[in-house]
Amino acid sequence: MLFVNLKKVTTTFDLRLSSSTTSSLKLLYSTLTLNPNTSQNPKTPPIQNPTKPLTTPQLKTLVLSQYSHGKFSNLIQNVVGLPSILLTASQNLITHHINDGLNCTESNELAESTQPHLSLFQSVSKRFSIEEMGREIFENRFDIEAHCVKMSDEGETLVLPNLKLKVFIEAIRIVLEIVYDDRFVTFSYGGRVNMGRHTAIRYLKNSVNNPSWWFSVCFNDVKFDTRKVDKLCLFIEEKIKDGILIDVIKRLFDCGALRIELGRCYLGKGLPQECGLCSILINVYFNGFDREIQEMRLRMSKENPKLDQNEIGEGSSTSYKPLKMHAVRYLDEILVITSGSKMLTMNLKKWVLKFLEGELELNVDRVKTAIHSAVSEKIDFLGMELQAVPPSVLHPPMPEKAIRARKKYLRQKEVKALELKNARERNRKKLGMKLLSHVFKKSKQSDGFKFDFQIENEVREIFQTWADEVVQDFLGSLEERWTWHRMLTAGDFLSLRHIRDQLPQELVDSYDKFQEQVHKHLSPVKARKALEEEGRRIKEEEERKYAERTVDDLTKLCMKVSAPIELVRKAVKMAGFTNKMGRPRPISILTSLEDADIIKWYAGVGRRWLDFFCCCHNLKMVKTVVSYHLRFSCILTLAEKHEATKIECIRHYTKDLKVPDMNGSEEVHFPTEKEVKMMGDKNLSDPKPVDGALSLLLIRLASDEPSHSCVGHFCDKTDTVMYRVRLLQNILNANPADEDKWVPRMSAIHESLNQMCLPLCPDHKSDLYTGKITLQDVDCTSHVNVD
């Protein structure tokens, strides 16, 4: 009823900034905040009506109702400020870690069974009033600066929004997503539903063929200052006519709660210094550049169409490669690929740099933005390595050793089948003799040779089935058929003419008919020809496939995606999983944790690596790092904690690292060896990298502090434990900007969060350890100061 009434109001009135609109929307808010039962029973005190989060169709209908004359208008007042939108944003903050690929309302629908609407409304109401917040937003008196918390350390200051401002930011993001998502180009990834890193990699592997040259655009540290924010607002005003929205975005940038820094390698990684609006605002800022690239791609495809084999010439030995250009952008990472000449790529690069530096006023690193050969040089993109290789590299033919092993397996299979066949015949012979003996005894007991009808039928069916199987096996064996055919046709005196003339004609005709049946059923000539034809066809098929593979290797190039295994090994060594010799070692700082928390932390790092690199060609090497280095480092850490040996720990926890829960049943958090072997390419939309999980440690404190509410978004649990945040860069005393002491392109959590104390309930603590959520999914502004 709420949405129906809202739809009636929005369709009846033209919602513009006028006095009539203001009065109508104030009346709307009064209907949203009052209990409908008060009109029926005046003695009932007015209470707040629990508002229900909106679904995807309702959200789209509500936002599209503000569209007129080519622009959206008054989105803050008429959409963002509605209590149902704010409640939807709150629900999205709670369920954000359930599935990163879903949008706000889809994750809301997914979590409806776990979080009832009434319970959600009550949880939100304990912290702030949604109706009052909506009224403040509608009247443009929401104080953004008052809801920001400054986290300072010796370096720069980090400004984080509190939970109330996070809800406001998420509501704006929901609305902007509906406005812009269908208007972005297809190669714009990041911050969009089902358009993440793996979707971009899947596009590169499936659609890019025969690349010749490519380059990735690298930015120097570009911070959005006032000039760039004004340009961003101009881009927004091309589609949205809302002065309050523009003012809100500028105030978020001014207070520091929203900041965009290109080239800093922390975007899209779930770190707390990234605001929820960063991704979509970056896509809006680059949308003009994307559309220019799209038009250039379409124009190039039109000028260089793909030709059929008939147009080239059926007998021609040449292969035609049309001129192609591909582009992929994930937030601030841009990759441009061409299948033409280097001069064409140089002109394209010159145009890209001119547009980015001129139109968008961005500072591009011209040294790192260099053109590379797609065949001879690898390029780094989205934390992975790309290279153009022949198809045989991705799908190599079976080696000789594997062929010999397969032939040996087939021979063993044939021998096993023959043994089973002989055993079956031997058992049938014994069973048949028993049946005949039983029937013969029955016939003796009866008068004459009269059989019991039921026994006769059963025995007849059994022997008929066996006889059919024997005949089928006989006809399927060429050797037996050839032996019997030779025995029944060769050396027979009835085939001699002077003998045939002396015999009766009926006997001769019977013999001829018998020979015809022998040739018809026992002659293996046709079957042998069929087998020879089948063998010839298989050989020709293998030759054809070999020829196709050879031609493809000479004329075709595919995209090979590899995990940067050297960087992975450097990260493993830097974090302390291995020693200088590359062998697993314990991490002493983790010995203060519980056994289950130690295993969960290792499991979170391992699963992040496996999920992130599951689309890579060398995933087996990452599996080795997780299954060997991380697994045995965890075992050694547990052994050091309990002052035991490695063998004793393996005997107690097993190699699968099983740990008992509160009920006494065993839990497995670390991926088992069998599970690691079965892992492969998944349909993950945007898996988080390992950066946040690897650089974060939560150390439990033994303090006498009173119980606090959990810092998880709208978590009402009070059975919390205090944990201190320890960051990897502070433990190692390393600067993440120094690539010699830090892993290149690996981001780090802001240092202002180091030594922060967070009260966490068991569920959120477990999710943080296992990497299901990050510090971006908790309210870090609710930290507790512990001396």
Side-chain angles (χ1 to χ4, degrees), residues 2 7 41 77 106 189 206 224 255 265 316 388-389 412 430 455 478 498 504 582 614 622 643 726-727 774:
L2 169 65
K7 188 174 180 181
N41 188 5
Q77 287 185 318
E106 288 172 338
Y189 298 90
N206 296 336
F224 269 44
C255 69
C265 298
S316 177
V389 296
Q412 292 176 349
K430 293 181 181 179
I455 296 177
L478 288 177
H498 64 280
C614 68
V622 181
E643 298 180 355
R726 297 294 305 275
L727 301 181
T774 63

Side-chain angles (χ1 to χ4, degrees), residues 205-475:
K205 292 197 295 186
N206 296 336
S207 301
V208 178
N209 294 321
N210 303 316
S212 302
W213 305 93
W214 53 23
F215 64 91
S216 62
V217 180
C218 300
F219 296 99
N220 293 317
D221 293 345
V222 179
K223 185 176 181 180
F224 269 44
D225 52 10
T226 306
R227 185 178 181 87
K228 294 183 179 59
V229 173
D230 292 339
K231 184 177 286 291
L232 172 63
C233 293
L234 289 177
F235 293 153
I236 296 175
E237 288 176 344
E238 293 177 0
K239 185 55 61 178
I240 300 175
K241 183 181 179 182
D242 192 347
I244 300 179
L245 174 63
I246 302 300
D247 181 65
V248 166
I249 293 176
K250 290 182 177 180
R251 285 160 59 192
L252 287 171
F253 273 104
D254 292 339
C255 69
L258 172 60
R259 63 176 187 175
I260 298 177
E261 295 177 283
L262 305 183
R264 292 291 296 271
C265 298
Y266 70 85
L267 295 174
K269 296 186 177 181
L271 302 182
Q273 56 261 39
E274 180 184 0
C275 180
L277 279 175
C278 287
S279 299
I280 192 164
L281 292 183
I282 289 175
N283 289 334
V284 172
Y285 195 81
F286 281 95
N287 191 38
F289 169 77
D290 295 341
R291 292 195 172 276
E292 291 291 335
I293 291 289
Q294 180 76 354
E295 292 178 3
M296 191 179 301
R297 287 180 58 194
L298 295 176
R299 185 167 59 252
M300 191 174 296
S301 298
K302 188 175 181 180
E303 293 174 356
N304 300 272
K306 185 176 180 180
L307 301 180
D308 297 333
Q309 188 67 29
N310 297 330
E311 298 176 349
I312 300 174
E314 193 168 335
S316 177
S317 60
T318 61
S319 60
Y320 173 72
K321 297 180 180 179
L323 188 62
K324 289 287 184 179
M325 182 186 73
H326 300 274
V328 175
R329 183 182 62 80
Y330 181 88
L331 299 181
D332 61 337
E333 298 186 56
I334 303 174
L335 176 66
V336 180
I337 308 171
T338 64
S339 60
S341 63
K342 188 173 183 179
M343 186 62 65
L344 170 70
T345 311
M346 292 175 63
N347 294 333
L348 180 60
K349 174 191 168 185
K350 188 182 299 184
W351 179 89
V352 168
L353 297 182
K354 181 180 179 181
F355 190 95
L356 294 176
E357 294 177 340
E359 296 293 331
L360 300 185
E361 300 180 1
L362 299 176
N363 186 9
V364 181
D365 190 342
R366 289 179 171 265
V367 176
K368 294 183 179 180
T369 308
I371 298 175
H372 300 276
S373 171
V375 179
S376 59
E377 296 177 90
K378 296 180 180 180
I379 194 168
D380 298 326
F381 186 64
L382 299 181
M384 305 174 197
E385 295 177 349
L386 308 180
Q387 188 178 10
V389 296
S392 61
V393 176
L394 297 179
H395 308 286
M398 188 178 295
E400 292 294 331
K401 186 176 180 181
I403 294 176
R404 290 196 300 269
R406 182 175 179 81
K407 289 181 178 179
K408 181 180 178 181
Y409 167 74
L410 293 177
R411 286 196 300 269
Q412 292 176 349
K413 192 176 179 181
E414 290 177 359
V415 171
K416 186 67 174 178
L418 183 60
E419 291 177 354
L420 293 175
K421 178 183 177 182
N422 295 334
R424 185 171 61 250
E425 291 179 353
R426 185 170 59 252
N427 295 334
R428 283 183 177 179
K429 182 178 179 181
K430 293 181 181 179
L431 183 59
M433 295 300 295
K434 289 182 180 180
L435 288 174
L436 290 176
S437 176
H438 177 74
V439 172
F440 185 70
K441 289 180 180 180
K442 285 287 186 181
S443 65
K444 275 189 172 183
Q445 294 174 3
S446 61
D447 296 333
F449 286 93
K450 293 183 179 179
F451 298 103
D452 186 43
F453 182 77
Q454 184 177 2
I455 296 177
E456 180 187 1
N457 288 341
E458 291 181 358
V459 172
R460 184 177 297 167
E461 290 177 1
I462 292 173
F463 279 94
Q464 182 68 32
T465 305
W466 292 352
D468 292 341
E469 292 181 5
V470 170
V471 171
Q472 292 296 329
D473 293 340
F474 172 77
L475 294 178

Side-chain angles (χ1 to χ4, degrees), residues 198-207 681-684:
H198 280 198
T199 314
I201 293 297
R202 195 173 298 115
Y203 165 75
L204 291 174
K205 292 197 295 186
N206 296 336
S207 301
D681 197 356
K682 300 178 181 178
N683 294 322
L684 298 177

Side-chain angles (χ1 to χ4, degrees), residues 29 32-34 48-51 81 83 86 121 125 128-137:
Y29 270 100
L32 288 174
T33 55
L34 293 179
Q48 293 180 339
N49 183 24
T51 313
L86 298 176
F121 185 80
S125 300
F128 55 85
S129 172
I130 281 188
E131 285 78 8
E132 181 61 30
M133 179 180 175
R135 198 181 300 276
E136 291 176 358
I137 295 173

Side-chain angles (χ1 to χ4, degrees), residues 710 715 717 760-770 773:
C710 179
C715 182
K717 296 180 180 179
L760 293 168
C761 67
D763 293 337
H764 283 95
K765 179 259 299 184
S766 178
D767 289 345
L768 275 173
Y769 274 129
T770 55
I773 64 175

